[in-house]
Amino acid sequence: MGTYINTGNSGFQRARNGEYVDKSALISVINSTLNTEHCMSCVSRCRRFGKSMAAKMLFAYYDQSCDSRHLFEDLKITGDASFEQHLNKILLEPKYDNSANAAISQIHKKEYTGKVAQYDGQVILVGINYDPKTKRHECRIEKVTNLLKK
Protein backbone atom coordinates (compact mmCIF):
# COMPACT_ATOMS: atom_id res chain seq x y z
CA MET A 1 0.00 0.00 0.00
CA GLY A 2 1.23 3.51 -0.80
CA THR A 3 1.82 6.34 1.59
CA TYR A 4 -1.09 8.74 1.90
CA ILE A 5 -0.40 12.37 1.00
CA ASN A 6 -2.63 15.38 1.68
CA THR A 7 -5.57 13.29 2.90
CA GLY A 8 -8.55 14.71 4.72
CA ASN A 9 -8.87 18.33 5.68
CA SER A 10 -5.87 18.87 7.97
CA GLY A 11 -3.98 21.02 5.45
CA PHE A 12 -6.94 23.36 5.03
CA GLN A 13 -7.53 23.36 8.79
CA ARG A 14 -3.96 24.62 9.33
CA ALA A 15 -4.56 27.33 6.74
CA ARG A 16 -7.76 28.42 8.47
CA ASN A 17 -5.93 28.62 11.81
CA GLY A 18 -3.86 31.54 10.46
CA GLU A 19 -4.69 34.52 8.28
CA TYR A 20 -6.90 33.32 5.45
CA VAL A 21 -8.30 35.16 2.43
CA ASP A 22 -11.58 33.57 1.34
CA LYS A 23 -11.20 32.07 -2.12
CA SER A 24 -13.99 29.53 -1.69
CA ALA A 25 -15.84 30.92 -4.73
CA LEU A 26 -13.49 28.66 -6.71
CA ILE A 27 -15.52 25.71 -5.39
CA SER A 28 -18.66 27.11 -7.01
CA VAL A 29 -16.84 27.37 -10.34
CA ILE A 30 -15.59 23.77 -10.09
CA ASN A 31 -19.04 22.53 -9.01
CA SER A 32 -20.64 24.21 -12.03
CA THR A 33 -18.44 22.15 -14.36
CA LEU A 34 -19.14 18.74 -12.78
CA ASN A 35 -21.00 16.37 -15.11
CA THR A 36 -20.41 18.65 -18.11
CA GLU A 37 -18.01 18.51 -21.03
CA HIS A 38 -15.91 21.06 -19.13
CA CYS A 39 -15.44 18.87 -16.05
CA MET A 40 -11.64 18.73 -16.23
CA SER A 41 -10.19 21.70 -14.36
CA CYS A 42 -6.70 23.06 -14.10
CA VAL A 43 -6.08 25.45 -11.25
CA SER A 44 -3.10 27.45 -12.43
CA ARG A 45 -1.62 30.59 -11.01
CA CYS A 46 1.75 32.23 -11.08
CA ARG A 47 4.40 31.32 -8.55
CA ARG A 48 3.48 31.96 -4.88
CA PHE A 49 -0.18 32.77 -5.61
CA GLY A 50 -2.01 29.98 -3.82
CA LYS A 51 -2.07 26.81 -5.93
CA SER A 52 -1.31 24.64 -2.90
CA MET A 53 -3.87 26.51 -0.81
CA ALA A 54 -6.51 26.01 -3.51
CA ALA A 55 -5.69 22.29 -3.65
CA LYS A 56 -6.01 21.96 0.14
CA MET A 57 -9.34 23.77 0.08
CA LEU A 58 -10.70 21.62 -2.76
CA PHE A 59 -9.48 18.44 -1.10
CA ALA A 60 -11.15 19.40 2.19
CA TYR A 61 -14.39 20.24 0.40
CA TYR A 62 -14.73 17.15 -1.79
CA ASP A 63 -13.03 14.39 0.24
CA GLN A 64 -15.56 12.05 1.83
CA SER A 65 -13.11 10.75 4.45
CA CYS A 66 -13.75 13.75 6.71
CA ASP A 67 -16.46 16.19 7.72
CA SER A 68 -15.28 19.62 6.62
CA ARG A 69 -18.49 21.60 7.08
CA HIS A 70 -17.08 23.57 10.05
CA LEU A 71 -14.14 24.80 7.95
CA PHE A 72 -16.47 26.46 5.45
CA GLU A 73 -19.21 27.82 7.76
CA ASP A 74 -18.06 31.43 7.56
CA LEU A 75 -16.92 31.38 3.92
CA LYS A 76 -18.70 32.68 0.84
CA ILE A 77 -19.31 29.20 -0.63
CA THR A 78 -21.92 28.35 2.02
CA GLY A 79 -24.31 30.77 0.31
CA ASP A 80 -23.97 28.93 -3.00
CA ALA A 81 -26.72 26.48 -3.98
CA SER A 82 -24.13 23.80 -4.84
CA PHE A 83 -22.45 23.85 -1.40
CA GLU A 84 -24.47 21.05 0.23
CA GLN A 85 -24.80 19.06 -2.98
CA HIS A 86 -21.10 18.19 -3.29
CA LEU A 87 -19.67 18.70 0.21
CA ASN A 88 -17.58 15.62 1.10
CA LYS A 89 -19.07 13.55 -1.76
CA ILE A 90 -16.03 12.60 -3.85
CA LEU A 91 -13.96 9.56 -3.02
CA LEU A 92 -10.30 10.52 -3.33
CA GLU A 93 -7.56 7.95 -2.87
CA PRO A 94 -4.05 9.38 -3.24
CA LYS A 95 -1.04 7.10 -3.58
CA TYR A 96 2.69 7.65 -3.44
CA ASP A 97 4.92 5.46 -5.61
CA ASN A 98 2.11 3.11 -6.63
CA SER A 99 -0.52 3.63 -9.37
CA ALA A 100 -3.83 5.38 -9.97
CA ASN A 101 -5.33 1.98 -10.83
CA ALA A 102 -4.26 0.67 -7.41
CA ALA A 103 -5.99 3.64 -5.80
CA ILE A 104 -9.28 2.95 -7.64
CA SER A 105 -8.97 -0.76 -6.82
CA GLN A 106 -8.63 0.08 -3.13
CA ILE A 107 -11.79 2.21 -3.25
CA HIS A 108 -13.71 -0.77 -4.64
CA LYS A 109 -12.03 -3.42 -2.45
CA LYS A 110 -12.60 -1.55 0.82
CA GLU A 111 -16.13 -0.51 -0.26
CA TYR A 112 -15.59 3.19 0.36
CA THR A 113 -18.70 3.91 -1.69
CA GLY A 114 -20.73 2.62 1.26
CA LYS A 115 -19.82 5.85 3.08
CA VAL A 116 -21.82 7.88 0.58
CA ALA A 117 -24.56 5.34 -0.18
CA GLN A 118 -27.32 7.79 0.81
CA TYR A 119 -26.10 10.35 -1.72
CA ASP A 120 -28.66 10.52 -4.51
CA GLY A 121 -26.33 11.96 -7.13
CA GLN A 122 -23.42 10.62 -9.06
CA VAL A 123 -20.32 9.75 -7.01
CA ILE A 124 -16.92 10.35 -8.53
CA LEU A 125 -14.03 8.06 -7.66
CA VAL A 126 -10.60 9.61 -8.09
CA GLY A 127 -7.34 7.68 -7.88
CA ILE A 128 -4.18 9.76 -7.91
CA ASN A 129 -0.58 8.59 -7.77
CA TYR A 130 2.67 10.49 -7.51
CA ASP A 131 5.79 8.74 -8.82
CA PRO A 132 8.84 10.16 -7.00
CA LYS A 133 11.25 8.74 -9.57
CA THR A 134 9.68 10.43 -12.59
CA LYS A 135 8.10 13.27 -10.56
CA ARG A 136 4.85 12.74 -12.45
CA HIS A 137 1.26 12.49 -11.31
CA GLU A 138 -1.19 9.96 -12.69
CA CYS A 139 -4.94 10.24 -12.27
CA ARG A 140 -7.87 7.90 -12.94
CA ILE A 141 -11.50 8.96 -12.58
CA GLU A 142 -14.58 6.73 -12.47
CA LYS A 143 -18.21 7.69 -12.14
CA VAL A 144 -20.52 5.55 -10.02
CA THR A 145 -24.29 5.90 -10.25
CA ASN A 146 -27.32 4.27 -8.66
CA LEU A 147 -25.74 3.78 -5.23
CA LEU A 148 -29.19 3.68 -3.67
CA LYS A 149 -30.17 0.74 -5.90
CA LYS A 150 -27.29 -1.50 -4.79
Side-chain angles (χ1 to χ4, degrees):
M1 183 186 304
T3 304
Y4 294 94
I5 52 175
N6 299 327
T7 58
N9 59 19
S10 61
F12 190 56
Q13 175 67 61
R14 283 191 303 277
R16 292 300 319 269
N17 289 341
E19 288 186 39
Y20 178 75
V21 176
D22 185 1
K23 296 189 178 178
S24 64
L26 173 63
I27 295 169
S28 177
V29 172
I30 301 292
N31 284 347
S32 72
T33 67
L34 296 176
N35 298 315
T36 71
E37 288 190 15
H38 306 288
C39 64
M40 302 304 273
S41 299
C42 176
V43 180
S44 63
R45 299 191 177 181
C46 45
R47 189 169 164 242
R48 308 291 306 153
F49 272 80
K51 292 181 294 292
S52 294
M53 183 67 66
K56 290 173 188 173
M57 177 186 66
L58 292 170
F59 208 108
Y61 176 76
Y62 290 111
D63 185 8
Q64 61 77 40
S65 73
C66 53
D67 182 3
S68 299
R69 182 178 311 282
H70 67 286
L71 294 174
F72 294 95
E73 286 177 342
D74 60 337
L75 300 181
K76 185 176 181 176
I77 186 61
T78 58
D80 190 275
S82 69
F83 175 70
E84 292 290 337
Q85 183 181 5
H86 301 292
L87 179 65
N88 300 127
K89 299 288 191 316
I90 293 182
L91 300 165
L92 296 163
E93 182 61 35
K95 295 290 184 192
Y96 178 83
D97 200 20
N98 202 318
S99 74
N101 285 339
I104 293 290
S105 293
Q106 181 172 330
I107 291 171
H108 290 296
K109 182 179 176 184
K110 294 199 174 188
E111 299 180 357
Y112 293 166
T113 54
K115 294 182 181 183
V116 290
Q118 298 307 311
Y119 179 52
D120 62 355
Q122 188 174 65
V123 174
I124 299 171
L125 313 181
V126 181
I128 301 171
N129 180 63
Y130 174 71
D131 185 331
K133 294 173 193 91
T134 63
K135 300 197 184 313
R136 299 192 100 180
H137 290 85
E138 167 192 24
C139 180
R140 180 173 167 201
I141 299 171
E142 283 187 13
K143 296 178 183 177
V144 179
T145 56
N146 302 321
L147 290 176
L148 294 174
K149 295 180 181 178
K150 285 187 175 182

